[in-house]
Amino acid sequence: MTVTRRPEGLDSTATTATTATRTETAERAETATTAARGDAPLVSPVNSHNEWDPLEEIIVGRLDGATIPSDHPVVRCNIPPWAARLQGLAAGFRYPRPLIERARHELDEFVALLESLGVTVRRPDPVDHRRRYGTPDWSSRGFCNTCPRDSMLVIGDEIIETPMAWPCRYFETHSYRAVLKDYFRRGARWTAAPKPQLTDELFEPGFRPSGDGEPPRRILTEFEPVFDAADFVRAGRDLFVTPSNVTNRMGIEWLRRHLGPGYRVHEVESRCRAPMHIDTTLVPLAPGKVLVNPEYVDVDRLPEPLRSWDVLIAPEPDPIDDRLLKITSMCGRWLSMNVLMIDEKRVIAERHHTGMLRALERWGFEPIPCDLLHYAPFGGSFHCATLDVRRRGTLASYAD
């Protein structure tokens, strides 16, 4: 093992959105007619086995209708203290327009960059997330559809809707249904994990995060399977997952059984006091190369399949001076690791984090700087904001 040590609103024009919707509807109708005639066998548009094969098609989230998450212990325990206090006061209200506009500008530039690289970009439908909904046991408002990485997991030609633990995200995948139905009609497999009840039995009563020097505590019980897709990363036949405040071991076991013996699911121990999503903890970048957070992961205790890989130690994140961003960000400081691989060499990374950009160059990658710093109040950065639907490659094992 080689260890590299670290150095010290709706769319801008309603007309465009309407035209795009009509075009997609016409394309779906034509696809369905062709399939019904039996003119050609279906070839799934969904095909993604790892984090680095050449990227061809991706779903990018949307900011329209974004609403501050409804107050709940599972929400509060997963976000930084300042953001948690603000969230409790403003829960259920729209995000302030200045936050939306700054993030939207960066997101539009990110989409333009992807398209300039030859990547097909799909988007969810706009949704009014302030609308209240419920089950027989609880009610909530929504959140946003900024992070498709959380609610859907792509394994080969299959898209799996995940059983999420936040009540405000219960129906989040509905905004992607037009895209999902299109993929299904064209040959993709489409699965939904069992919808959780999200009753009090799922959450530890009186939960409080662990303090300094205390072992990590998690709010979830094993009452039922729940998991966010963003707690998993893929390396062919091997998947790596962190049990977290949104992913319990019952959820991990559900996925392990669903995928069957052709895949291996490995747990990664995290020292994070409020674990949520693996893509700021451990990120496979290319065959045999994995980016690791030195604060959260003990490199001597990595899962066995990774012990022959080059372990790239993430550099210290560059400080962020924007006071408003510090208060409103839902993410920790290691969002610098939240990169998106275009292929085995090219990688989109945050322009602000120059330490990460330099480290990627030293490790032999070709970083493409882009701005998405102001997406943090809505849940993440490049990896979180996307779902890579098709990469040019086949299923392989990289960890024998």
Side-chain angles (χ1 to χ4, degrees):
M1 178 179 71
T2 302
V3 179
T4 306
R5 297 296 175 188
R6 60 186 170 99
E8 303 298 296
L10 298 180
D11 286 343
S12 55
T13 64
T15 302
T16 301
T18 302
T19 302
T21 301
R22 287 173 179 165
T23 301
E24 286 191 8
T25 301
E27 289 173 350
R28 291 196 295 269
E30 182 179 351
T31 300
T33 302
T34 301
R37 288 200 308 259
D39 292 351
L42 295 175
V43 178
S44 173
V46 175
N47 182 71
S48 182
H49 301 280
N50 55 51
E51 308 292 332
W52 59 75
D53 277 341
L55 182 62
E56 296 182 337
E57 183 162 339
I58 200 163
I59 299 174
V60 176
R62 192 183 282 278
L63 285 153
D64 309 280
T67 299
I68 296 168
S70 295
D71 197 30
H72 191 282
V74 75
V75 176
R76 290 194 301 273
C77 77
N78 275 309
I79 58 180
W82 274 107
R85 294 187 191 100
L86 187 64
Q87 180 269 331
L89 295 172
F93 289 92
R94 296 263 192 240
Y95 275 88
R97 183 177 294 275
L99 286 181
I100 293 276
E101 292 306 320
R102 287 198 297 179
R104 178 179 282 128
H105 173 74
E106 293 178 349
L107 188 65
D108 289 345
E109 292 295 317
F110 174 45
V111 168
L113 172 61
L114 288 168
E115 291 176 336
S116 75
L117 296 171
V119 179
T120 298
V121 176
R122 304 292 298 270
R123 310 294 296 277
D125 294 330
V127 172
D128 179 6
H129 293 281
R130 281 209 74 218
R131 294 177 62 186
R132 184 169 289 278
Y133 57 79
T135 75
D137 299 298
W138 50 264
S139 68
S140 177
R141 299 187 194 277
F143 173 33
C144 55
N145 47 13
T146 53
C147 296
R149 183 75 57 177
D150 303 351
S151 59
M152 294 173 288
L153 179 64
V154 175
I155 305 290
D157 66 348
E158 180 179 22
I159 294 185
I160 302 169
E161 295 185 54
T162 61
M164 305 179 79
W166 283 23
C168 60
R169 308 189 76 175
Y170 199 75
F171 292 109
E172 193 167 305
T173 54
H174 282 206
S175 61
Y176 299 91
R177 285 298 171 93
V179 178
L180 292 171
K181 286 184 280 189
D182 175 42
Y183 289 153
F184 178 73
R185 290 186 180 103
R186 293 161 59 195
R189 291 186 296 149
W190 177 16
T191 302
K195 274 290 189 187
Q197 295 170 274
L198 302 187
T199 56
D200 290 345
E201 290 88 343
L202 178 61
F203 309 104
E204 293 287 355
F207 174 82
R208 63 176 183 83
S210 56
D212 291 336
E214 296 179 331
R217 288 191 288 267
R218 293 187 287 270
I219 194 171
L220 299 177
T221 68
E222 300 299 326
F223 174 69
E224 60 186 344
V226 288
F227 63 91
D228 278 13
D231 269 322
F232 294 82
V233 286
R234 304 155 304 148
R237 294 191 180 277
D238 290 275
L239 281 74
F240 302 93
V241 58
T242 48
S244 75
N245 282 328
V246 291
T247 295
N248 62 11
R249 286 194 164 85
M250 200 170 179
I252 296 169
E253 182 60 23
W254 182 92
L255 185 65
R256 183 180 282 120
R257 294 187 200 178
H258 175 75
L259 295 179
Y263 291 86
R264 301 172 288 256
V265 181
H266 312 274
E267 291 187 20
V268 177
E269 295 181 34
S270 175
R271 298 181 295 204
C272 178
R273 291 168 56 185
M276 180 179 176
H277 300 167
I278 197 173
D279 48 13
T280 56
T281 297
L282 180 145
V283 184
L285 299 179
K289 294 185 177 183
V290 60
L291 179 64
V292 168
N293 181 330
E295 184 178 320
Y296 294 169
V297 175
D298 181 350
V299 296
D300 295 324
R301 297 174 63 86
L302 288 172
E304 182 65 33
L306 294 176
R307 294 182 186 177
S308 61
W309 286 36
D310 289 344
V311 179
L312 312 175
I313 304 299
E316 188 74 13
D318 290 84
I320 295 173
D321 298 325
D322 187 322
R323 178 172 171 78
L324 180 61
L325 194 55
K326 285 181 180 180
I327 294 173
T328 58
S329 173
M330 296 186 69
C331 309
R333 68 192 191 97
W334 289 96
L335 204 56
S336 55
M337 293 178 59
N338 204 255
V339 300
L340 178 69
M341 302 303 298
I342 299 300
D343 51 38
E344 290 186 18
K345 287 291 186 182
R346 295 179 296 169
V347 51
I348 298 178
E350 172 57 54
R351 192 187 311 275
H352 171 83
H353 289 291
T354 56
M356 177 61 74
L357 294 171
R358 288 195 296 266
L360 289 166
E361 285 183 335
R362 283 199 311 274
W363 296 327
F365 296 100
E366 299 172 10
I368 304 172
C370 186
D371 295 309
L372 205 61
L373 203 62
H374 294 94
Y375 211 66
F378 307 95
S381 191
F382 302 109
H383 196 257
C384 298
T386 58
L387 181 69
D388 40 323
V389 172
R390 188 171 67 254
R391 290 182 179 271
R392 191 169 63 252
T394 56
L395 180 61
S397 178
Y398 303 92
D400 289 340

